[in-house]
Every structure is written in structure tokens, then in C-alpha cells.
């Protein structure tokens, strides 16, 4: 069964600190892996997309990594800001259109 | 910047009633999707739509559900005979091509009483 698992389930860090969120996936056939940010009560917003041939991709203070051999990905957030407080969701695309979502990591940034 | 819009933002309905959730995808996008998120749970894929027909659907998307693109701009999800467990946030998304970034709307929160 296609699954995406994330850890930790929740994380609290001080403003300005860095953090890394983890994702493991078992999706076949695998097309690409995405990280989304979801504010409470809002739709997910895309941060990065990586195909199996890409190891890393950055978007501002967000850097995602992908190891297609071990089926693991991470999202690193640098110099966190209060506005980074949200759920971060790892999403795997299998086939051409069907996204499989993880349960997300709830990140809280405190001043 | 173009964005996906959805109406209504909230919908309350009685069990057994039909509801239609509406979406306006980004204008030059060709693929359209519906997802749902039950409170406190992960987002779940319902259906994808391309070239005026369903291209993929999940096991959740049974005969109770249907989608339609009635004109050149709207994309609708119809839920017939709603059940209590249909209460969820429903997200519409669109992408320019299959496999590319999907842009999500703000969602419609459906509450079935």
C-alpha cells in the first residue's frame, strides 16, 4: 500500500533556529516528491518538487533533500520565522496525477 | 498572481441532501483535482479530471460523488445524499500539466448534520 510517513508529529522551536523534518515513503511507481506548507484552515501551498534524479532543491529558507534509494526525504528550514508556524506535509506522486499525503509535521515557532 | 478559488467557503447541510461545491481553477491549467481533509486527518485524493473526463479516482470516490466542468471556467464536485462522515474540508486544485505543481484553493468546509 502506498504510504507516506513523517516525523516528528509536532515540533516547537525558538524563532531564528533551524530545524529538519523527516519523511519516509513507500510509493510505487514513484514519480516525484513534494513538500507543502499548510496553514490552519487553508489549502496546502507547494514548497518544492523533486524527481527521483534530484538530491536537493531549495526555495528560499527551505531546502529539501531526497534519497530515492532509501526512500527518504527531509525538509530543512533555516533561520525560522514566526510565519513558518504551520503544518509541513510530505507528498508523493505516483503515476501521473495521484498524490499521497503524509500526516504532516505541526511546526510551532515561538518568539 | 492567479489562484484557484472555491465557493462557498462554508456549507452546512442536512444528512441526505445533495451539495455542489464549486471551483474556478487557474485559467491556463488543464488538470483539475478534488481532495478532502477530515478534521485532524491527512489530505486524501478523491479524483483527477482531464480533457473533460475523470482520469484517476480513489476508492473514496464512489457513486455518491460526481464531477463536472459545466463551462470553460468552473469545476464542480457534487455529493449526492450526504452522510455525516462526508463532513470535511474539500480542496480543489489545478495544474498546468499532469505531474506538475498542483495549486490548491482555500477549501470549502462542509458540515453534514
Amino acid at each position: 500500500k502506498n504510504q507516506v510517513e513523517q516525523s516528528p508529529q509536532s515540533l516547537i522551536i525558538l524563532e531564528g533556529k533551524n530545524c529538519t523534518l523527516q519523511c519516509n515513503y513507500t510509493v510505487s511507481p514513484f514519480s516525484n516528491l513534494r513538500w507543502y506548507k499548510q496553514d490552519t484552515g487553508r489549502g496546502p501551498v507547494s514548497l518544492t518538487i523533486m524527481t527521483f534524479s534530484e538530491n536537493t532543491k531549495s526555495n528560499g529558507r527551505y531546502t529539501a533533500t531526497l534519497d530515492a534509494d532509501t526512500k527518504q526525504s527531509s525538509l530543512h528550514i533555516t533561520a525560522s520565522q514566526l510565519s513558518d508556524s504551520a503544518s509541513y506535509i510530505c507528498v508523493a506522486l505516483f503515476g501521473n496525477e495521484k498524490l499521497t499525503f503524509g500526516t504532516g509535521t505541526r511546526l510551532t515557532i515561538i518568539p | 498572481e492567479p489562484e484557484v478559488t472555491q465557493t462557498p467557503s462554508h456549507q452546512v447541510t442536512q444528512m441526505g441532501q445533495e451539495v455542489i461545491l464549486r471551483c474556478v481553477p487557474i485559467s491556463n491549467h488543464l488538470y483539475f483535482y478534488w481532495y478532502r481533509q477530515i478534521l485532524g486527518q491527512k489530505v486524501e485524493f478523491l479524483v483527477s479530471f482531464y480533457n473533460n473526463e475523470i482520469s484517476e479516482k480513489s476508492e473514496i470516490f464512489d457513486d455518491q460523488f460526481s464531477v463536472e466542468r459545466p463551462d470553460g471556467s468552473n469545476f464542480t464536485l457534487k455529493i449526492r445524499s450526504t452522510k455525516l462522515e462526508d463532513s470535511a474540508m474539500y480542496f480543489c486544485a489545478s495544474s498546468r500539466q499532469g505531474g506538475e505543481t498542483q495549486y490548491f484553493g482555500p477549501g470549502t468546509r462542509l458540515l453534514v448534520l
Side-chain angles (χ1 to χ4, degrees), chain B residues 23-51:
Chain B
C23 168
V24 179
I26 294 173
S27 61
N28 63 345
H29 285 188
L30 301 178
Y31 286 78
F32 316 117
Y33 313 86
W34 282 102
Y35 296 85
R36 80 172 185 190
Q37 186 174 30
I38 296 170
L39 188 63
Q41 298 186 22
K42 63 183 179 181
V43 177
E44 299 173 289
F45 170 82
L46 291 178
V47 66
S48 60
F49 191 86
Y50 170 71
N51 200 27

PDB file of all heavy atoms in Angstrom, chain B residues 23-51:
ATOM      1  N   CYS B  23     -15.557  25.319  -7.917  1.00  0.00           N
ATOM      2  CA  CYS B  23     -14.149  25.694  -8.003  1.00  0.00           C
ATOM      3  C   CYS B  23     -13.915  26.398  -9.332  1.00  0.00           C
ATOM      4  O   CYS B  23     -14.510  26.031 -10.355  1.00  0.00           O
ATOM      5  CB  CYS B  23     -13.300  24.422  -7.908  1.00  0.00           C
ATOM      6  SG  CYS B  23     -11.549  24.606  -8.335  1.00  0.00           S
ATOM      7  N   VAL B  24     -13.070  27.401  -9.312  1.00  0.00           N
ATOM      8  CA  VAL B  24     -12.583  28.010 -10.551  1.00  0.00           C
ATOM      9  C   VAL B  24     -11.079  27.791 -10.583  1.00  0.00           C
ATOM     10  O   VAL B  24     -10.328  28.440  -9.843  1.00  0.00           O
ATOM     11  CB  VAL B  24     -12.919  29.510 -10.642  1.00  0.00           C
ATOM     12  CG1 VAL B  24     -12.374  30.094 -11.943  1.00  0.00           C
ATOM     13  CG2 VAL B  24     -14.427  29.722 -10.567  1.00  0.00           C
ATOM     14  N   PRO B  25     -10.601  26.852 -11.408  1.00  0.00           N
ATOM     15  CA  PRO B  25      -9.167  26.590 -11.495  1.00  0.00           C
ATOM     16  C   PRO B  25      -8.435  27.756 -12.155  1.00  0.00           C
ATOM     17  O   PRO B  25      -9.049  28.661 -12.727  1.00  0.00           O
ATOM     18  CB  PRO B  25      -9.087  25.335 -12.365  1.00  0.00           C
ATOM     19  CG  PRO B  25     -10.472  24.769 -12.381  1.00  0.00           C
ATOM     20  CD  PRO B  25     -11.385  25.933 -12.219  1.00  0.00           C
ATOM     21  N   ILE B  26      -7.110  27.705 -12.108  1.00  0.00           N
ATOM     22  CA  ILE B  26      -6.300  28.702 -12.797  1.00  0.00           C
ATOM     23  C   ILE B  26      -6.520  28.552 -14.303  1.00  0.00           C
ATOM     24  O   ILE B  26      -6.550  27.428 -14.822  1.00  0.00           O
ATOM     25  CB  ILE B  26      -4.818  28.542 -12.402  1.00  0.00           C
ATOM     26  CG1 ILE B  26      -4.673  28.878 -10.915  1.00  0.00           C
ATOM     27  CG2 ILE B  26      -3.918  29.430 -13.253  1.00  0.00           C
ATOM     28  CD1 ILE B  26      -3.291  28.606 -10.340  1.00  0.00           C
ATOM     29  N   SER B  27      -6.637  29.664 -14.997  1.00  0.00           N
ATOM     30  CA  SER B  27      -7.224  29.658 -16.340  1.00  0.00           C
ATOM     31  C   SER B  27      -6.464  28.828 -17.375  1.00  0.00           C
ATOM     32  O   SER B  27      -7.083  28.228 -18.239  1.00  0.00           O
ATOM     33  CB  SER B  27      -7.389  31.089 -16.852  1.00  0.00           C
ATOM     34  OG  SER B  27      -6.132  31.719 -16.933  1.00  0.00           O
ATOM     35  N   ASN B  28      -5.160  28.763 -17.337  1.00  0.00           N
ATOM     36  CA  ASN B  28      -4.447  28.013 -18.369  1.00  0.00           C
ATOM     37  C   ASN B  28      -4.078  26.603 -17.917  1.00  0.00           C
ATOM     38  O   ASN B  28      -3.276  25.921 -18.566  1.00  0.00           O
ATOM     39  CB  ASN B  28      -3.192  28.767 -18.817  1.00  0.00           C
ATOM     40  CG  ASN B  28      -2.185  28.938 -17.689  1.00  0.00           C
ATOM     41  OD1 ASN B  28      -2.520  28.741 -16.510  1.00  0.00           O
ATOM     42  ND2 ASN B  28      -0.966  29.283 -18.032  1.00  0.00           N
ATOM     43  N   HIS B  29      -4.669  26.144 -16.828  1.00  0.00           N
ATOM     44  CA  HIS B  29      -4.395  24.803 -16.335  1.00  0.00           C
ATOM     45  C   HIS B  29      -5.316  23.795 -16.997  1.00  0.00           C
ATOM     46  O   HIS B  29      -6.461  24.100 -17.340  1.00  0.00           O
ATOM     47  CB  HIS B  29      -4.544  24.749 -14.815  1.00  0.00           C
ATOM     48  CG  HIS B  29      -3.412  25.393 -14.096  1.00  0.00           C
ATOM     49  ND1 HIS B  29      -3.267  25.308 -12.719  1.00  0.00           N
ATOM     50  CD2 HIS B  29      -2.354  26.111 -14.535  1.00  0.00           C
ATOM     51  CE1 HIS B  29      -2.167  25.958 -12.369  1.00  0.00           C
ATOM     52  NE2 HIS B  29      -1.609  26.453 -13.452  1.00  0.00           N
ATOM     53  N   LEU B  30      -4.790  22.578 -17.160  1.00  0.00           N
ATOM     54  CA  LEU B  30      -5.526  21.552 -17.892  1.00  0.00           C
ATOM     55  C   LEU B  30      -5.987  20.394 -17.017  1.00  0.00           C
ATOM     56  O   LEU B  30      -6.858  19.633 -17.413  1.00  0.00           O
ATOM     57  CB  LEU B  30      -4.640  20.991 -19.014  1.00  0.00           C
ATOM     58  CG  LEU B  30      -4.154  22.010 -20.045  1.00  0.00           C
ATOM     59  CD1 LEU B  30      -3.250  21.316 -21.062  1.00  0.00           C
ATOM     60  CD2 LEU B  30      -5.320  22.693 -20.750  1.00  0.00           C
ATOM     61  N   TYR B  31      -5.369  20.261 -15.814  1.00  0.00           N
ATOM     62  CA  TYR B  31      -5.705  19.154 -14.915  1.00  0.00           C
ATOM     63  C   TYR B  31      -6.372  19.724 -13.671  1.00  0.00           C
ATOM     64  O   TYR B  31      -5.901  20.719 -13.113  1.00  0.00           O
ATOM     65  CB  TYR B  31      -4.442  18.386 -14.517  1.00  0.00           C
ATOM     66  CG  TYR B  31      -3.884  17.524 -15.615  1.00  0.00           C
ATOM     67  CD1 TYR B  31      -3.150  18.082 -16.657  1.00  0.00           C
ATOM     68  CD2 TYR B  31      -4.082  16.145 -15.603  1.00  0.00           C
ATOM     69  CE1 TYR B  31      -2.641  17.283 -17.670  1.00  0.00           C
ATOM     70  CE2 TYR B  31      -3.565  15.340 -16.606  1.00  0.00           C
ATOM     71  CZ  TYR B  31      -2.845  15.922 -17.645  1.00  0.00           C
ATOM     72  OH  TYR B  31      -2.344  15.127 -18.640  1.00  0.00           O
ATOM     73  N   PHE B  32      -7.417  19.055 -13.231  1.00  0.00           N
ATOM     74  CA  PHE B  32      -8.185  19.531 -12.084  1.00  0.00           C
ATOM     75  C   PHE B  32      -8.376  18.369 -11.110  1.00  0.00           C
ATOM     76  O   PHE B  32      -8.490  17.218 -11.525  1.00  0.00           O
ATOM     77  CB  PHE B  32      -9.536  20.084 -12.529  1.00  0.00           C
ATOM     78  CG  PHE B  32      -9.459  20.968 -13.741  1.00  0.00           C
ATOM     79  CD1 PHE B  32     -10.083  20.622 -14.913  1.00  0.00           C
ATOM     80  CD2 PHE B  32      -8.718  22.138 -13.708  1.00  0.00           C
ATOM     81  CE1 PHE B  32      -9.994  21.425 -16.042  1.00  0.00           C
ATOM     82  CE2 PHE B  32      -8.614  22.944 -14.832  1.00  0.00           C
ATOM     83  CZ  PHE B  32      -9.259  22.586 -16.006  1.00  0.00           C
ATOM     84  N   TYR B  33      -8.419  18.734  -9.824  1.00  0.00           N
ATOM     85  CA  TYR B  33      -8.443  17.700  -8.789  1.00  0.00           C
ATOM     86  C   TYR B  33      -9.382  18.114  -7.663  1.00  0.00           C
ATOM     87  O   TYR B  33      -9.577  19.305  -7.397  1.00  0.00           O
ATOM     88  CB  TYR B  33      -7.035  17.528  -8.181  1.00  0.00           C
ATOM     89  CG  TYR B  33      -5.923  17.423  -9.186  1.00  0.00           C
ATOM     90  CD1 TYR B  33      -5.314  18.563  -9.711  1.00  0.00           C
ATOM     91  CD2 TYR B  33      -5.452  16.181  -9.609  1.00  0.00           C
ATOM     92  CE1 TYR B  33      -4.289  18.477 -10.633  1.00  0.00           C
ATOM     93  CE2 TYR B  33      -4.415  16.083 -10.526  1.00  0.00           C
ATOM     94  CZ  TYR B  33      -3.839  17.243 -11.043  1.00  0.00           C
ATOM     95  OH  TYR B  33      -2.820  17.149 -11.949  1.00  0.00           O
ATOM     96  N   TRP B  34      -9.906  17.103  -6.967  1.00  0.00           N
ATOM     97  CA  TRP B  34     -10.595  17.314  -5.705  1.00  0.00           C
ATOM     98  C   TRP B  34      -9.935  16.450  -4.635  1.00  0.00           C
ATOM     99  O   TRP B  34      -9.609  15.278  -4.889  1.00  0.00           O
ATOM    100  CB  TRP B  34     -12.075  16.973  -5.794  1.00  0.00           C
ATOM    101  CG  TRP B  34     -12.901  18.020  -6.459  1.00  0.00           C
ATOM    102  CD1 TRP B  34     -13.373  18.000  -7.743  1.00  0.00           C
ATOM    103  CD2 TRP B  34     -13.354  19.253  -5.888  1.00  0.00           C
ATOM    104  NE1 TRP B  34     -14.089  19.142  -8.007  1.00  0.00           N
ATOM    105  CE2 TRP B  34     -14.096  19.938  -6.893  1.00  0.00           C
ATOM    106  CE3 TRP B  34     -13.225  19.861  -4.643  1.00  0.00           C
ATOM    107  CZ2 TRP B  34     -14.694  21.177  -6.674  1.00  0.00           C
ATOM    108  CZ3 TRP B  34     -13.818  21.090  -4.423  1.00  0.00           C
ATOM    109  CH2 TRP B  34     -14.539  21.729  -5.436  1.00  0.00           C
ATOM    110  N   TYR B  35      -9.761  17.053  -3.461  1.00  0.00           N
ATOM    111  CA  TYR B  35      -9.232  16.368  -2.295  1.00  0.00           C
ATOM    112  C   TYR B  35     -10.165  16.655  -1.118  1.00  0.00           C
ATOM    113  O   TYR B  35     -10.908  17.631  -1.128  1.00  0.00           O
ATOM    114  CB  TYR B  35      -7.838  16.888  -1.923  1.00  0.00           C
ATOM    115  CG  TYR B  35      -6.779  16.631  -2.958  1.00  0.00           C
ATOM    116  CD1 TYR B  35      -6.589  17.506  -4.031  1.00  0.00           C
ATOM    117  CD2 TYR B  35      -5.960  15.506  -2.873  1.00  0.00           C
ATOM    118  CE1 TYR B  35      -5.611  17.268  -4.991  1.00  0.00           C
ATOM    119  CE2 TYR B  35      -4.980  15.261  -3.823  1.00  0.00           C
ATOM    120  CZ  TYR B  35      -4.816  16.150  -4.876  1.00  0.00           C
ATOM    121  OH  TYR B  35      -3.848  15.908  -5.811  1.00  0.00           O
ATOM    122  N   ARG B  36     -10.087  15.819  -0.103  1.00  0.00           N
ATOM    123  CA  ARG B  36     -10.796  16.143   1.128  1.00  0.00           C
ATOM    124  C   ARG B  36      -9.866  15.943   2.319  1.00  0.00           C
ATOM    125  O   ARG B  36      -8.898  15.185   2.261  1.00  0.00           O
ATOM    126  CB  ARG B  36     -12.047  15.281   1.292  1.00  0.00           C
ATOM    127  CG  ARG B  36     -11.791  13.886   1.806  1.00  0.00           C
ATOM    128  CD  ARG B  36     -13.039  13.150   2.135  1.00  0.00           C
ATOM    129  NE  ARG B  36     -12.713  11.848   2.736  1.00  0.00           N
ATOM    130  CZ  ARG B  36     -13.578  10.897   2.952  1.00  0.00           C
ATOM    131  NH1 ARG B  36     -14.867  11.076   2.623  1.00  0.00           N
ATOM    132  NH2 ARG B  36     -13.215   9.761   3.510  1.00  0.00           N
ATOM    133  N   GLN B  37     -10.176  16.664   3.383  1.00  0.00           N
ATOM    134  CA  GLN B  37      -9.405  16.542   4.619  1.00  0.00           C
ATOM    135  C   GLN B  37     -10.380  16.546   5.783  1.00  0.00           C
ATOM    136  O   GLN B  37     -10.958  17.588   6.120  1.00  0.00           O
ATOM    137  CB  GLN B  37      -8.390  17.678   4.755  1.00  0.00           C
ATOM    138  CG  GLN B  37      -7.461  17.517   5.948  1.00  0.00           C
ATOM    139  CD  GLN B  37      -6.376  18.576   5.977  1.00  0.00           C
ATOM    140  OE1 GLN B  37      -6.572  19.699   5.506  1.00  0.00           O
ATOM    141  NE2 GLN B  37      -5.219  18.232   6.523  1.00  0.00           N
ATOM    142  N   ILE B  38     -10.579  15.377   6.362  1.00  0.00           N
ATOM    143  CA  ILE B  38     -11.388  15.271   7.574  1.00  0.00           C
ATOM    144  C   ILE B  38     -10.606  15.918   8.706  1.00  0.00           C
ATOM    145  O   ILE B  38      -9.372  15.809   8.770  1.00  0.00           O
ATOM    146  CB  ILE B  38     -11.719  13.804   7.873  1.00  0.00           C
ATOM    147  CG1 ILE B  38     -12.594  13.239   6.741  1.00  0.00           C
ATOM    148  CG2 ILE B  38     -12.419  13.660   9.204  1.00  0.00           C
ATOM    149  CD1 ILE B  38     -12.801  11.749   6.792  1.00  0.00           C
ATOM    150  N   LEU B  39     -11.306  16.593   9.588  1.00  0.00           N
ATOM    151  CA  LEU B  39     -10.667  17.354  10.662  1.00  0.00           C
ATOM    152  C   LEU B  39      -9.646  16.515  11.414  1.00  0.00           C
ATOM    153  O   LEU B  39      -9.959  15.425  11.898  1.00  0.00           O
ATOM    154  CB  LEU B  39     -11.739  17.881  11.617  1.00  0.00           C
ATOM    155  CG  LEU B  39     -11.261  18.849  12.696  1.00  0.00           C
ATOM    156  CD1 LEU B  39     -10.714  20.124  12.064  1.00  0.00           C
ATOM    157  CD2 LEU B  39     -12.379  19.166  13.675  1.00  0.00           C
ATOM    158  N   GLY B  40      -8.420  17.026  11.467  1.00  0.00           N
ATOM    159  CA  GLY B  40      -7.365  16.344  12.209  1.00  0.00           C
ATOM    160  C   GLY B  40      -6.685  15.219  11.458  1.00  0.00           C
ATOM    161  O   GLY B  40      -5.781  14.580  11.993  1.00  0.00           O
ATOM    162  N   GLN B  41      -7.116  14.972  10.210  1.00  0.00           N
ATOM    163  CA  GLN B  41      -6.522  13.881   9.434  1.00  0.00           C
ATOM    164  C   GLN B  41      -5.784  14.433   8.211  1.00  0.00           C
ATOM    165  O   GLN B  41      -5.772  15.629   7.965  1.00  0.00           O
ATOM    166  CB  GLN B  41      -7.613  12.894   9.025  1.00  0.00           C
ATOM    167  CG  GLN B  41      -8.306  12.229  10.202  1.00  0.00           C
ATOM    168  CD  GLN B  41      -9.281  11.159   9.782  1.00  0.00           C
ATOM    169  OE1 GLN B  41      -9.186  10.612   8.677  1.00  0.00           O
ATOM    170  NE2 GLN B  41     -10.227  10.843  10.651  1.00  0.00           N
ATOM    171  N   LYS B  42      -5.168  13.542   7.473  1.00  0.00           N
ATOM    172  CA  LYS B  42      -4.393  13.979   6.322  1.00  0.00           C
ATOM    173  C   LYS B  42      -5.294  14.240   5.113  1.00  0.00           C
ATOM    174  O   LYS B  42      -6.440  13.800   5.053  1.00  0.00           O
ATOM    175  CB  LYS B  42      -3.335  12.938   5.969  1.00  0.00           C
ATOM    176  CG  LYS B  42      -3.895  11.596   5.550  1.00  0.00           C
ATOM    177  CD  LYS B  42      -2.772  10.620   5.282  1.00  0.00           C
ATOM    178  CE  LYS B  42      -3.316   9.255   4.882  1.00  0.00           C
ATOM    179  NZ  LYS B  42      -2.218   8.277   4.637  1.00  0.00           N
ATOM    180  N   VAL B  43      -4.722  14.967   4.177  1.00  0.00           N
ATOM    181  CA  VAL B  43      -5.422  15.248   2.931  1.00  0.00           C
ATOM    182  C   VAL B  43      -5.516  13.957   2.115  1.00  0.00           C
ATOM    183  O   VAL B  43      -4.537  13.198   2.016  1.00  0.00           O
ATOM    184  CB  VAL B  43      -4.676  16.336   2.128  1.00  0.00           C
ATOM    185  CG1 VAL B  43      -5.353  16.579   0.795  1.00  0.00           C
ATOM    186  CG2 VAL B  43      -4.572  17.626   2.934  1.00  0.00           C
ATOM    187  N   GLU B  44      -6.680  13.721   1.521  1.00  0.00           N
ATOM    188  CA  GLU B  44      -6.891  12.487   0.744  1.00  0.00           C
ATOM    189  C   GLU B  44      -7.321  12.833  -0.682  1.00  0.00           C
ATOM    190  O   GLU B  44      -8.204  13.662  -0.887  1.00  0.00           O
ATOM    191  CB  GLU B  44      -7.986  11.632   1.380  1.00  0.00           C
ATOM    192  CG  GLU B  44      -7.690  11.178   2.790  1.00  0.00           C
ATOM    193  CD  GLU B  44      -8.887  10.481   3.395  1.00  0.00           C
ATOM    194  OE1 GLU B  44      -9.894  11.165   3.695  1.00  0.00           O
ATOM    195  OE2 GLU B  44      -8.822   9.246   3.561  1.00  0.00           O
ATOM    196  N   PHE B  45      -6.728  12.176  -1.634  1.00  0.00           N
ATOM    197  CA  PHE B  45      -7.068  12.351  -3.038  1.00  0.00           C
ATOM    198  C   PHE B  45      -8.455  11.766  -3.313  1.00  0.00           C
ATOM    199  O   PHE B  45      -8.769  10.665  -2.869  1.00  0.00           O
ATOM    200  CB  PHE B  45      -6.010  11.650  -3.897  1.00  0.00           C
ATOM    201  CG  PHE B  45      -6.354  11.533  -5.357  1.00  0.00           C
ATOM    202  CD1 PHE B  45      -6.131  12.592  -6.216  1.00  0.00           C
ATOM    203  CD2 PHE B  45      -6.873  10.354  -5.870  1.00  0.00           C
ATOM    204  CE1 PHE B  45      -6.423  12.481  -7.568  1.00  0.00           C
ATOM    205  CE2 PHE B  45      -7.165  10.226  -7.209  1.00  0.00           C
ATOM    206  CZ  PHE B  45      -6.943  11.293  -8.070  1.00  0.00           C
ATOM    207  N   LEU B  46      -9.270  12.504  -4.048  1.00  0.00           N
ATOM    208  CA  LEU B  46     -10.572  11.991  -4.469  1.00  0.00           C
ATOM    209  C   LEU B  46     -10.572  11.658  -5.962  1.00  0.00           C
ATOM    210  O   LEU B  46     -10.866  10.532  -6.352  1.00  0.00           O
ATOM    211  CB  LEU B  46     -11.676  13.020  -4.195  1.00  0.00           C
ATOM    212  CG  LEU B  46     -12.029  13.309  -2.745  1.00  0.00           C
ATOM    213  CD1 LEU B  46     -13.096  14.384  -2.662  1.00  0.00           C
ATOM    214  CD2 LEU B  46     -12.480  12.056  -2.029  1.00  0.00           C
ATOM    215  N   VAL B  47     -10.227  12.652  -6.786  1.00  0.00           N
ATOM    216  CA  VAL B  47     -10.409  12.469  -8.220  1.00  0.00           C
ATOM    217  C   VAL B  47      -9.561  13.464  -8.985  1.00  0.00           C
ATOM    218  O   VAL B  47      -9.273  14.558  -8.493  1.00  0.00           O
ATOM    219  CB  VAL B  47     -11.903  12.641  -8.585  1.00  0.00           C
ATOM    220  CG1 VAL B  47     -12.363  14.075  -8.336  1.00  0.00           C
ATOM    221  CG2 VAL B  47     -12.211  12.194  -9.998  1.00  0.00           C
ATOM    222  N   SER B  48      -9.120  13.048 -10.174  1.00  0.00           N
ATOM    223  CA  SER B  48      -8.484  13.976 -11.098  1.00  0.00           C
ATOM    224  C   SER B  48      -9.267  13.977 -12.399  1.00  0.00           C
ATOM    225  O   SER B  48      -9.915  12.984 -12.758  1.00  0.00           O
ATOM    226  CB  SER B  48      -7.015  13.618 -11.331  1.00  0.00           C
ATOM    227  OG  SER B  48      -6.907  12.316 -11.884  1.00  0.00           O
ATOM    228  N   PHE B  49      -9.187  15.088 -13.114  1.00  0.00           N
ATOM    229  CA  PHE B  49     -10.058  15.330 -14.273  1.00  0.00           C
ATOM    230  C   PHE B  49      -9.228  16.006 -15.344  1.00  0.00           C
ATOM    231  O   PHE B  49      -8.534  16.993 -15.086  1.00  0.00           O
ATOM    232  CB  PHE B  49     -11.196  16.250 -13.813  1.00  0.00           C
ATOM    233  CG  PHE B  49     -12.332  16.404 -14.770  1.00  0.00           C
ATOM    234  CD1 PHE B  49     -13.380  15.501 -14.771  1.00  0.00           C
ATOM    235  CD2 PHE B  49     -12.401  17.489 -15.629  1.00  0.00           C
ATOM    236  CE1 PHE B  49     -14.457  15.658 -15.623  1.00  0.00           C
ATOM    237  CE2 PHE B  49     -13.464  17.655 -16.498  1.00  0.00           C
ATOM    238  CZ  PHE B  49     -14.509  16.737 -16.491  1.00  0.00           C
ATOM    239  N   TYR B  50      -9.283  15.430 -16.533  1.00  0.00           N
ATOM    240  CA  TYR B  50      -8.517  15.983 -17.648  1.00  0.00           C
ATOM    241  C   TYR B  50      -9.274  15.750 -18.930  1.00  0.00           C
ATOM    242  O   TYR B  50      -9.848  14.674 -19.133  1.00  0.00           O
ATOM    243  CB  TYR B  50      -7.126  15.335 -17.715  1.00  0.00           C
ATOM    244  CG  TYR B  50      -6.350  15.651 -18.971  1.00  0.00           C
ATOM    245  CD1 TYR B  50      -5.837  16.923 -19.175  1.00  0.00           C
ATOM    246  CD2 TYR B  50      -6.147  14.686 -19.962  1.00  0.00           C
ATOM    247  CE1 TYR B  50      -5.138  17.231 -20.328  1.00  0.00           C
ATOM    248  CE2 TYR B  50      -5.456  14.982 -21.122  1.00  0.00           C
ATOM    249  CZ  TYR B  50      -4.942  16.260 -21.302  1.00  0.00           C
ATOM    250  OH  TYR B  50      -4.257  16.568 -22.439  1.00  0.00           O
ATOM    251  N   ASN B  51      -9.279  16.741 -19.793  1.00  0.00           N
ATOM    252  CA  ASN B  51      -9.902  16.596 -21.107  1.00  0.00           C
ATOM    253  C   ASN B  51     -11.360  16.158 -20.978  1.00  0.00           C
ATOM    254  O   ASN B  51     -11.830  15.287 -21.707  1.00  0.00           O
ATOM    255  CB  ASN B  51      -9.097  15.595 -21.942  1.00  0.00           C
ATOM    256  CG  ASN B  51      -9.347  15.732 -23.428  1.00  0.00           C
ATOM    257  OD1 ASN B  51      -9.692  16.806 -23.908  1.00  0.00           O
ATOM    258  ND2 ASN B  51      -9.184  14.639 -24.144  1.00  0.00           N
TER     259      ASN B  51
END
